[in-house]
PDB file of all heavy atoms in Angstrom:
ATOM      1  N   GLY A   1     -22.103 -13.458 -36.754  1.00 88.00           N
ATOM      2  CA  GLY A   1     -20.848 -14.177 -36.608  1.00 88.00           C
ATOM      3  C   GLY A   1     -19.978 -13.643 -35.499  1.00 88.00           C
ATOM      4  O   GLY A   1     -18.764 -13.884 -35.466  1.00 88.00           O
ATOM      5  N   GLN A   2     -20.560 -12.926 -34.520  1.00 88.00           N
ATOM      6  CA  GLN A   2     -19.790 -12.325 -33.436  1.00 88.00           C
ATOM      7  C   GLN A   2     -20.176 -12.889 -32.081  1.00 88.00           C
ATOM      8  O   GLN A   2     -21.300 -13.307 -31.857  1.00 88.00           O
ATOM      9  CB  GLN A   2     -19.990 -10.799 -33.409  1.00 88.00           C
ATOM     10  CG  GLN A   2     -19.414 -10.085 -34.628  1.00 88.00           C
ATOM     11  CD  GLN A   2     -19.539  -8.572 -34.502  1.00 88.00           C
ATOM     12  OE1 GLN A   2     -20.364  -8.078 -33.745  1.00 88.00           O
ATOM     13  NE2 GLN A   2     -18.734  -7.848 -35.238  1.00 88.00           N
ATOM     14  N   VAL A   3     -19.193 -12.911 -31.182  1.00 89.00           N
ATOM     15  CA  VAL A   3     -19.427 -13.266 -29.792  1.00 89.00           C
ATOM     16  C   VAL A   3     -18.422 -12.510 -28.923  1.00 89.00           C
ATOM     17  O   VAL A   3     -17.289 -12.314 -29.314  1.00 89.00           O
ATOM     18  CB  VAL A   3     -19.304 -14.798 -29.565  1.00 89.00           C
ATOM     19  CG1 VAL A   3     -17.907 -15.313 -29.920  1.00 89.00           C
ATOM     20  CG2 VAL A   3     -19.651 -15.160 -28.133  1.00 89.00           C
ATOM     21  N   THR A   4     -18.867 -12.072 -27.747  1.00 89.00           N
ATOM     22  CA  THR A   4     -17.977 -11.433 -26.795  1.00 89.00           C
ATOM     23  C   THR A   4     -17.814 -12.373 -25.598  1.00 89.00           C
ATOM     24  O   THR A   4     -18.795 -12.785 -24.994  1.00 89.00           O
ATOM     25  CB  THR A   4     -18.520 -10.085 -26.317  1.00 89.00           C
ATOM     26  OG1 THR A   4     -18.633  -9.210 -27.447  1.00 89.00           O
ATOM     27  CG2 THR A   4     -17.603  -9.438 -25.289  1.00 89.00           C
ATOM     28  N   ILE A   5     -16.560 -12.712 -25.316  1.00 91.00           N
ATOM     29  CA  ILE A   5     -16.254 -13.602 -24.176  1.00 91.00           C
ATOM     30  C   ILE A   5     -15.588 -12.770 -23.089  1.00 91.00           C
ATOM     31  O   ILE A   5     -14.569 -12.123 -23.347  1.00 91.00           O
ATOM     32  CB  ILE A   5     -15.341 -14.759 -24.623  1.00 91.00           C
ATOM     33  CG1 ILE A   5     -16.018 -15.556 -25.753  1.00 91.00           C
ATOM     34  CG2 ILE A   5     -15.023 -15.697 -23.449  1.00 91.00           C
ATOM     35  CD1 ILE A   5     -15.154 -16.630 -26.370  1.00 91.00           C
ATOM     36  N   HIS A   6     -16.183 -12.800 -21.913  1.00 89.00           N
ATOM     37  CA  HIS A   6     -15.690 -11.949 -20.800  1.00 89.00           C
ATOM     38  C   HIS A   6     -14.800 -12.782 -19.841  1.00 89.00           C
ATOM     39  O   HIS A   6     -14.717 -13.991 -19.932  1.00 89.00           O
ATOM     40  CB  HIS A   6     -16.872 -11.377 -20.028  1.00 89.00           C
ATOM     41  CG  HIS A   6     -17.771 -10.514 -20.859  1.00 89.00           C
ATOM     42  ND1 HIS A   6     -17.446  -9.234 -21.206  1.00 89.00           N
ATOM     43  CD2 HIS A   6     -18.970 -10.781 -21.451  1.00 89.00           C
ATOM     44  CE1 HIS A   6     -18.429  -8.722 -21.962  1.00 89.00           C
ATOM     45  NE2 HIS A   6     -19.359  -9.670 -22.118  1.00 89.00           N
ATOM     46  N   SER A   7     -14.191 -12.012 -18.912  1.00 90.00           N
ATOM     47  CA  SER A   7     -13.430 -12.611 -17.795  1.00 90.00           C
ATOM     48  C   SER A   7     -12.289 -13.505 -18.263  1.00 90.00           C
ATOM     49  O   SER A   7     -12.024 -14.559 -17.672  1.00 90.00           O
ATOM     50  CB  SER A   7     -14.368 -13.374 -16.856  1.00 90.00           C
ATOM     51  OG  SER A   7     -15.381 -12.522 -16.349  1.00 90.00           O
ATOM     52  N   ILE A   8     -11.609 -13.098 -19.325  1.00 92.00           N
ATOM     53  CA  ILE A   8     -10.441 -13.835 -19.792  1.00 92.00           C
ATOM     54  C   ILE A   8      -9.221 -13.328 -18.998  1.00 92.00           C
ATOM     55  O   ILE A   8      -8.946 -12.119 -18.968  1.00 92.00           O
ATOM     56  CB  ILE A   8     -10.200 -13.610 -21.281  1.00 92.00           C
ATOM     57  CG1 ILE A   8     -11.447 -14.025 -22.076  1.00 92.00           C
ATOM     58  CG2 ILE A   8      -8.977 -14.412 -21.770  1.00 92.00           C
ATOM     59  CD1 ILE A   8     -11.370 -13.689 -23.564  1.00 92.00           C
ATOM     60  N   PRO A   9      -8.497 -14.209 -18.308  1.00 92.00           N
ATOM     61  CA  PRO A   9      -7.306 -13.749 -17.572  1.00 92.00           C
ATOM     62  C   PRO A   9      -6.305 -13.071 -18.506  1.00 92.00           C
ATOM     63  O   PRO A   9      -6.169 -13.474 -19.669  1.00 92.00           O
ATOM     64  CB  PRO A   9      -6.732 -15.053 -16.996  1.00 92.00           C
ATOM     65  CG  PRO A   9      -7.910 -15.988 -16.951  1.00 92.00           C
ATOM     66  CD  PRO A   9      -8.741 -15.654 -18.124  1.00 92.00           C
ATOM     67  N   VAL A  10      -5.649 -12.051 -18.016  1.00 93.00           N
ATOM     68  CA  VAL A  10      -4.627 -11.377 -18.819  1.00 93.00           C
ATOM     69  C   VAL A  10      -3.578 -12.387 -19.275  1.00 93.00           C
ATOM     70  O   VAL A  10      -3.138 -13.259 -18.518  1.00 93.00           O
ATOM     71  CB  VAL A  10      -3.955 -10.251 -18.001  1.00 93.00           C
ATOM     72  CG1 VAL A  10      -2.725  -9.692 -18.718  1.00 93.00           C
ATOM     73  CG2 VAL A  10      -4.977  -9.131 -17.760  1.00 93.00           C
ATOM     74  N   GLY A  11      -3.197 -12.300 -20.565  1.00 93.00           N
ATOM     75  CA  GLY A  11      -2.217 -13.218 -21.132  1.00 93.00           C
ATOM     76  C   GLY A  11      -2.369 -13.298 -22.631  1.00 93.00           C
ATOM     77  O   GLY A  11      -3.073 -12.467 -23.224  1.00 93.00           O
ATOM     78  N   SER A  12      -1.734 -14.245 -23.262  1.00 93.00           N
ATOM     79  CA  SER A  12      -1.826 -14.426 -24.713  1.00 93.00           C
ATOM     80  C   SER A  12      -2.510 -15.770 -24.993  1.00 93.00           C
ATOM     81  O   SER A  12      -2.156 -16.803 -24.374  1.00 93.00           O
ATOM     82  CB  SER A  12      -0.454 -14.398 -25.361  1.00 93.00           C
ATOM     83  OG  SER A  12       0.096 -13.083 -25.256  1.00 93.00           O
ATOM     84  N   TYR A  13      -3.436 -15.763 -25.912  1.00 94.00           N
ATOM     85  CA  TYR A  13      -4.252 -16.954 -26.186  1.00 94.00           C
ATOM     86  C   TYR A  13      -4.509 -17.105 -27.683  1.00 94.00           C
ATOM     87  O   TYR A  13      -4.503 -16.133 -28.436  1.00 94.00           O
ATOM     88  CB  TYR A  13      -5.609 -16.839 -25.479  1.00 94.00           C
ATOM     89  CG  TYR A  13      -5.536 -16.653 -23.999  1.00 94.00           C
ATOM     90  CD1 TYR A  13      -5.522 -15.384 -23.431  1.00 94.00           C
ATOM     91  CD2 TYR A  13      -5.486 -17.757 -23.141  1.00 94.00           C
ATOM     92  CE1 TYR A  13      -5.450 -15.193 -22.075  1.00 94.00           C
ATOM     93  CE2 TYR A  13      -5.419 -17.572 -21.770  1.00 94.00           C
ATOM     94  CZ  TYR A  13      -5.387 -16.288 -21.238  1.00 94.00           C
ATOM     95  OH  TYR A  13      -5.315 -16.116 -19.866  1.00 94.00           O
ATOM     96  N   THR A  14      -4.754 -18.352 -28.066  1.00 95.00           N
ATOM     97  CA  THR A  14      -5.344 -18.598 -29.381  1.00 95.00           C
ATOM     98  C   THR A  14      -6.813 -18.918 -29.155  1.00 95.00           C
ATOM     99  O   THR A  14      -7.216 -19.382 -28.087  1.00 95.00           O
ATOM    100  CB  THR A  14      -4.660 -19.782 -30.106  1.00 95.00           C
ATOM    101  OG1 THR A  14      -4.711 -20.940 -29.270  1.00 95.00           O
ATOM    102  CG2 THR A  14      -3.209 -19.437 -30.448  1.00 95.00           C
ATOM    103  N   PHE A  15      -7.600 -18.648 -30.173  1.00 93.00           N
ATOM    104  CA  PHE A  15      -9.037 -18.836 -30.109  1.00 93.00           C
ATOM    105  C   PHE A  15      -9.424 -19.769 -31.256  1.00 93.00           C
ATOM    106  O   PHE A  15      -8.955 -19.600 -32.393  1.00 93.00           O
ATOM    107  CB  PHE A  15      -9.764 -17.506 -30.242  1.00 93.00           C
ATOM    108  CG  PHE A  15      -9.440 -16.535 -29.152  1.00 93.00           C
ATOM    109  CD1 PHE A  15      -8.296 -15.761 -29.226  1.00 93.00           C
ATOM    110  CD2 PHE A  15     -10.244 -16.426 -28.034  1.00 93.00           C
ATOM    111  CE1 PHE A  15      -7.958 -14.861 -28.209  1.00 93.00           C
ATOM    112  CE2 PHE A  15      -9.918 -15.541 -27.019  1.00 93.00           C
ATOM    113  CZ  PHE A  15      -8.774 -14.754 -27.112  1.00 93.00           C
ATOM    114  N   THR A  16     -10.252 -20.759 -30.939  1.00 94.00           N
ATOM    115  CA  THR A  16     -10.620 -21.763 -31.928  1.00 94.00           C
ATOM    116  C   THR A  16     -12.137 -21.708 -32.181  1.00 94.00           C
ATOM    117  O   THR A  16     -12.936 -21.681 -31.251  1.00 94.00           O
ATOM    118  CB  THR A  16     -10.230 -23.175 -31.467  1.00 94.00           C
ATOM    119  OG1 THR A  16      -8.813 -23.228 -31.299  1.00 94.00           O
ATOM    120  CG2 THR A  16     -10.658 -24.241 -32.480  1.00 94.00           C
ATOM    121  N   ALA A  17     -12.496 -21.691 -33.476  1.00 92.00           N
ATOM    122  CA  ALA A  17     -13.909 -21.653 -33.876  1.00 92.00           C
ATOM    123  C   ALA A  17     -14.258 -22.958 -34.589  1.00 92.00           C
ATOM    124  O   ALA A  17     -13.524 -23.449 -35.448  1.00 92.00           O
ATOM    125  CB  ALA A  17     -14.172 -20.480 -34.809  1.00 92.00           C
ATOM    126  N   THR A  18     -15.402 -23.521 -34.189  1.00 93.00           N
ATOM    127  CA  THR A  18     -15.887 -24.769 -34.815  1.00 93.00           C
ATOM    128  C   THR A  18     -17.391 -24.694 -35.040  1.00 93.00           C
ATOM    129  O   THR A  18     -18.119 -24.018 -34.313  1.00 93.00           O
ATOM    130  CB  THR A  18     -15.595 -26.001 -33.930  1.00 93.00           C
ATOM    131  OG1 THR A  18     -16.222 -25.826 -32.641  1.00 93.00           O
ATOM    132  CG2 THR A  18     -14.098 -26.193 -33.737  1.00 93.00           C
ATOM    133  N   LYS A  19     -17.845 -25.420 -36.044  1.00 92.00           N
ATOM    134  CA  LYS A  19     -19.285 -25.594 -36.277  1.00 92.00           C
ATOM    135  C   LYS A  19     -19.463 -26.797 -37.206  1.00 92.00           C
ATOM    136  O   LYS A  19     -18.663 -27.027 -38.115  1.00 92.00           O
ATOM    137  CB  LYS A  19     -19.904 -24.352 -36.929  1.00 92.00           C
ATOM    138  CG  LYS A  19     -21.430 -24.473 -37.107  1.00 92.00           C
ATOM    139  CD  LYS A  19     -22.037 -23.230 -37.741  1.00 92.00           C
ATOM    140  CE  LYS A  19     -23.551 -23.426 -37.910  1.00 92.00           C
ATOM    141  NZ  LYS A  19     -24.207 -22.255 -38.516  1.00 92.00           N
ATOM    142  N   ALA A  20     -20.496 -27.580 -36.937  1.00 92.00           N
ATOM    143  CA  ALA A  20     -20.791 -28.739 -37.796  1.00 92.00           C
ATOM    144  C   ALA A  20     -20.961 -28.266 -39.229  1.00 92.00           C
ATOM    145  O   ALA A  20     -21.661 -27.272 -39.488  1.00 92.00           O
ATOM    146  CB  ALA A  20     -22.036 -29.457 -37.320  1.00 92.00           C
ATOM    147  N   GLY A  21     -20.311 -28.965 -40.156  1.00 92.00           N
ATOM    148  CA  GLY A  21     -20.400 -28.601 -41.565  1.00 92.00           C
ATOM    149  C   GLY A  21     -19.304 -27.655 -42.007  1.00 92.00           C
ATOM    150  O   GLY A  21     -19.275 -27.254 -43.170  1.00 92.00           O
ATOM    151  N   TYR A  22     -18.413 -27.298 -41.090  1.00 91.00           N
ATOM    152  CA  TYR A  22     -17.302 -26.405 -41.396  1.00 91.00           C
ATOM    153  C   TYR A  22     -16.010 -27.043 -40.890  1.00 91.00           C
ATOM    154  O   TYR A  22     -16.018 -27.825 -39.943  1.00 91.00           O
ATOM    155  CB  TYR A  22     -17.437 -25.060 -40.696  1.00 91.00           C
ATOM    156  CG  TYR A  22     -18.592 -24.201 -41.205  1.00 91.00           C
ATOM    157  CD1 TYR A  22     -19.908 -24.451 -40.822  1.00 91.00           C
ATOM    158  CD2 TYR A  22     -18.358 -23.155 -42.067  1.00 91.00           C
ATOM    159  CE1 TYR A  22     -20.957 -23.663 -41.292  1.00 91.00           C
ATOM    160  CE2 TYR A  22     -19.388 -22.340 -42.533  1.00 91.00           C
ATOM    161  CZ  TYR A  22     -20.693 -22.612 -42.136  1.00 91.00           C
ATOM    162  OH  TYR A  22     -21.714 -21.831 -42.590  1.00 91.00           O
ATOM    163  N   THR A  23     -14.898 -26.699 -41.516  1.00 92.00           N
ATOM    164  CA  THR A  23     -13.575 -27.063 -41.009  1.00 92.00           C
ATOM    165  C   THR A  23     -13.145 -25.990 -40.036  1.00 92.00           C
ATOM    166  O   THR A  23     -13.027 -24.812 -40.400  1.00 92.00           O
ATOM    167  CB  THR A  23     -12.564 -27.197 -42.154  1.00 92.00           C
ATOM    168  OG1 THR A  23     -13.010 -28.204 -43.063  1.00 92.00           O
ATOM    169  CG2 THR A  23     -11.191 -27.580 -41.616  1.00 92.00           C
ATOM    170  N   GLY A  24     -12.918 -26.404 -38.765  1.00 92.00           N
ATOM    171  CA  GLY A  24     -12.578 -25.432 -37.733  1.00 92.00           C
ATOM    172  C   GLY A  24     -11.214 -24.783 -37.978  1.00 92.00           C
ATOM    173  O   GLY A  24     -10.398 -25.251 -38.768  1.00 92.00           O
ATOM    174  N   ALA A  25     -10.996 -23.649 -37.298  1.00 92.00           N
ATOM    175  CA  ALA A  25      -9.729 -22.919 -37.451  1.00 92.00           C
ATOM    176  C   ALA A  25      -9.420 -22.176 -36.158  1.00 92.00           C
ATOM    177  O   ALA A  25     -10.316 -21.950 -35.336  1.00 92.00           O
ATOM    178  CB  ALA A  25      -9.805 -21.944 -38.616  1.00 92.00           C
ATOM    179  N   SER A  26      -8.142 -21.845 -35.988  1.00 93.00           N
ATOM    180  CA  SER A  26      -7.686 -21.111 -34.807  1.00 93.00           C
ATOM    181  C   SER A  26      -7.057 -19.786 -35.221  1.00 93.00           C
ATOM    182  O   SER A  26      -6.500 -19.656 -36.307  1.00 93.00           O
ATOM    183  CB  SER A  26      -6.690 -21.927 -33.994  1.00 93.00           C
ATOM    184  OG  SER A  26      -7.286 -23.105 -33.501  1.00 93.00           O
TER     185      SER A  26
END
């Protein structure tokens, strides 16, 4: 259930997770 996302510009962000069969969340 893990992922590393690189090269994100400095700042503040929300992250959203989705998958078929699940209700997504941020």
Side-chain angles (χ1 to χ4, degrees):
Q2 293 185 339
V3 61
T4 299
I5 302 175
H6 300 282
S7 303
I8 303 173
V10 169
S12 292
Y13 302 91
T14 56
F15 299 83
T16 298
T18 58
K19 184 180 179 180
Y22 293 78
T23 299
S26 296

